[in-house]
Amino acid sequence: MQVTQTQSEGLKRGFTVTVPAGDLEARRAARLAELGRTINLPGFRPGKVPASLVKQRYGEAVNGEILEQALNDSTTKLLEDQKLRPATQPKVDLISGADGKGDLQFKVDLEVLPEIATPDLSDLQLTRLTAKPSAEVVDKALNEVAKRQRSFETIEEDRAAQNGDVLNVDFVGKLDGTPFDGGTAQDVNVEIGGEGFIPGFAEQLEGMKPGEEKIITVTFPAEYQAQELAGKEVTFDIKANALKKPIDPALDDELAKKIGFEGIEQVRDLITKQAENEYAQLSRLRIKRDLLDALSGKTDFEAPESMVDAEFNQIWQRVEQDRAGGELDEEDAGKDEETLRADYRKIAERRVKLGLLLAEIGRAKEITVSREELMQAVRQEAMRYPGQEQAVFEFFGKNPQAAEGLRGPILENKVVDYLIELANVTDKEVTPEELAEIPPADL
């Protein structure tokens, strides 16, 4: 195999590789001989098929197989001999020899990973924000539990529906005068002034009496999940059936037993622990952001353009989806296309650099992902699809590379944990609202 370097600019490398025709012919002959010993053809004993007939029948397929094998083997050897670590899959282009005649010559173009020195980590200063669930937070959650168990008492008084009442109705939703899917229902309890319906729906039922009918007009939100209705103005034919008063149950042991607990304190403890877990996740998200901000100043190396392109394309796909759904935030919506692309390109570059730095720190500190950790990630992925867990397990079993795709995030989190443990961390208690402030999108 002969190798000639054609490019060495920044992280980009280019080579021309030549595999002698003699080497290829030796491989073809060996493969045809192997087939001759194993194939069965009518009129010939096993292993006695003439070589000329084997070549006639299988020569073209064997040539394709040998070429592919030679390309893969030669490219692998090139990377090993040159001690190259590709940033992405090398691009291989045939120059000559595809017809099986003469030498095989091809080009290999790739980007390599940059040399990353493990930075000085002794000056890492981080603040861990923490919060405790207040009695008000727990009480509010308890009241929501009670609200879901509320009963309804019919109001016998002859009066119109008021704010806080519940009106039982039948309705038919129409778009351009035609009923639409999912827009018809009977015996639905609508709380006047409550949430859960299209904005403007419940508000227009105020003042109706049982037995009355009316037509209301509402507009679906622009981000409504059913695209055929998003942003559309529709009408609803409303028939009021009964006026009711919601009765919330007392926050006592009887309520707790109704929902499967021994007592109300057990429910309160569970709500408290759930809130603590939520706050702990938010706390980790915030300190991870602080850590990445601190590390960002230590990424003084070039990011492979191919990796930045791939990351940017993923980000931009989500941006376009948000834009199509009218969900871009106000700041992004006010930017022109060029500015928006430039901003998200910077975010992509930051992410790539931080990912490479974390991977290098993990390699230097011999932080690895165990098989059990990988299998646990597969199990967690399967749990995201209730009722289809077995299909998910089978998918990962048949596609080991997909399971390997889960390794990166696990390794990153382990390196983050290592760095947080290494850093000088100051704890600071804040309110749950302060803790929940959403970090910028480049995390």
Side-chain angles (χ1 to χ4, degrees):
M1 181 177 87
Q2 181 182 347
V3 176
T4 303
Q5 186 160 0
T6 58
Q7 183 182 21
S8 180
E9 181 182 346
L11 300 176
K12 295 182 179 180
R13 302 289 184 272
F15 301 90
T16 298
V17 180
T18 302
V19 181
D23 291 352
L24 297 172
E25 186 55 41
R27 289 192 185 204
R28 277 192 288 266
R31 179 61 177 140
L32 288 169
E34 180 185 358
L35 284 173
R37 293 191 297 270
T38 57
I39 62 173
N40 291 312
L41 288 180
F44 298 96
R45 288 180 295 166
K48 298 298 182 179
V49 180
S52 59
L53 183 57
V54 175
K55 185 175 182 179
Q56 178 185 346
R57 289 209 173 191
Y58 301 101
E60 186 174 342
V62 166
N63 184 59
E65 179 184 328
I66 294 305
L67 285 177
E68 182 178 0
Q69 186 182 75
L71 285 170
N72 292 336
D73 292 349
S74 300
T75 302
T76 300
K77 189 174 189 308
L78 165 68
L79 299 178
E80 292 174 349
D81 290 349
Q82 299 287 331
K83 296 181 172 55
L84 300 175
R85 293 196 298 159
T88 53
Q89 185 70 24
K91 181 184 178 185
V92 177
D93 291 312
L94 274 171
I95 299 174
S96 62
D99 56 0
K101 299 176 182 179
D103 297 340
L104 172 65
Q105 193 173 55
F106 60 95
K107 294 192 307 178
V108 179
D109 294 304
L110 70 151
E111 274 194 297
V112 297
L113 292 174
E115 291 295 327
I116 304 173
T118 303
D120 179 14
L121 302 171
S122 62
D123 60 346
L124 282 177
Q125 303 280 336
L126 302 174
T127 300
R128 180 188 289 114
L129 303 181
T130 62
K132 296 178 181 177
S134 64
E136 290 78 13
V137 167
V138 177
D139 287 343
K140 182 179 179 181
L142 272 175
N143 286 326
E144 288 298 320
V145 171
K147 188 175 180 180
R148 289 194 292 272
Q149 300 299 320
R150 63 177 22 172
S151 57
F152 300 95
E153 180 181 291
T154 300
I155 297 174
E156 301 296 344
E157 179 185 356
D158 181 19
R159 66 171 177 82
Q162 302 172 359
N163 191 57
D165 290 340
V166 171
L167 191 65
N168 181 275
V169 300
D170 301 337
F171 59 77
V172 178
K174 297 178 181 179
L175 174 63
D176 296 329
T178 302
F180 56 84
D181 291 341
T184 300
Q186 288 81 39
D187 292 323
V188 177
N189 288 326
V190 180
E191 182 179 354
I192 309 301
E195 299 178 351
F197 284 83
I198 309 163
F201 185 97
E203 293 86 340
Q204 295 186 64
L205 303 191
E206 186 172 1
M208 288 190 73
K209 289 184 177 182
E212 289 185 351
E213 297 183 10
K214 71 183 297 189
I215 298 174
I216 64 173
T217 301
V218 297
T219 301
F220 277 94
E223 65 275 10
Y224 193 69
Q225 63 268 24
Q227 289 298 314
E228 66 275 12
L229 296 174
K232 298 292 181 63
E233 184 178 87
V234 300
T235 62
F236 283 92
D237 297 347
I238 308 290
K239 178 185 176 183
N241 300 320
L243 187 61
K244 301 181 180 182
K245 177 173 65 175
I247 307 295
D248 290 341
L251 298 176
D252 55 17
D253 291 345
E254 184 178 343
L255 171 63
K257 291 174 182 177
K258 186 177 180 181
I259 58 176
F261 293 86
E262 294 179 0
I264 196 65
E265 285 308 311
Q266 189 179 22
V267 181
R268 184 181 293 274
D269 289 344
L270 176 63
I271 290 173
T272 302
K273 288 177 182 176
Q274 288 176 336
E276 289 173 345
N277 289 337
E278 180 184 346
Y279 294 168
Q281 292 175 3
L282 289 172
S283 176
R284 176 179 166 75
L285 181 66
R286 296 298 298 273
I287 197 171
K288 179 180 178 181
R289 171 55 203 256
D290 284 351
L291 171 66
L292 295 181
D293 283 345
L295 290 178
S296 184
K298 301 179 183 292
T299 57
D300 54 350
F301 51 85
E302 183 182 357
E305 187 178 349
S306 56
M307 295 182 72
V308 177
D309 286 343
E311 183 66 28
F312 171 77
N313 288 336
Q314 287 189 354
I315 295 173
W316 192 250
Q317 185 177 19
R318 291 195 295 271
V319 171
E320 289 188 319
Q321 289 173 350
D322 289 345
R323 181 159 54 186
E327 297 178 3
L328 276 184
D329 62 44
E330 187 175 340
E331 183 179 353
D332 280 352
K335 297 176 182 177
D336 59 62
E337 181 90 359
E338 184 178 352
T339 301
L340 199 58
R341 280 181 172 272
D343 287 349
Y344 280 104
R345 181 85 184 179
K346 290 177 183 176
I347 291 174
E349 184 175 357
R350 169 189 158 101
R351 288 185 181 179
V352 168
K353 285 186 172 184
L354 285 170
L356 290 174
L357 179 58
L358 290 173
E360 181 60 29
I361 293 172
R363 189 179 70 84
K365 301 302 178 183
E366 298 183 342
I367 300 172
T368 59
V369 177
S370 68
R371 174 173 173 77
E372 178 53 36
E373 288 171 327
L374 197 58
M375 291 307 299
Q376 177 62 24
V378 172
R379 287 192 287 270
Q380 289 176 346
E381 189 70 14
M383 290 172 62
R384 294 176 54 205
Y385 302 93
Q388 302 178 51
E389 293 87 350
Q390 189 57 41
V392 174
F393 283 124
E394 290 176 0
F395 170 78
F396 281 112
K398 294 176 181 177
N399 299 275
Q401 72 279 7
E404 285 297 312
L406 302 175
R407 186 182 298 273
I410 302 173
L411 179 62
E412 179 178 303
N413 281 324
K414 293 184 73 171
V415 175
V416 166
D417 288 340
Y418 164 79
L419 292 173
I420 292 174
E421 192 69 28
L422 186 70
N424 181 11
V425 178
T426 301
D427 288 322
K428 178 183 177 182
E429 187 168 342
V430 296
T431 65
E433 291 74 22
E434 290 172 317
L435 181 61
E437 289 179 3
I438 300 175
D442 58 348
L443 190 152

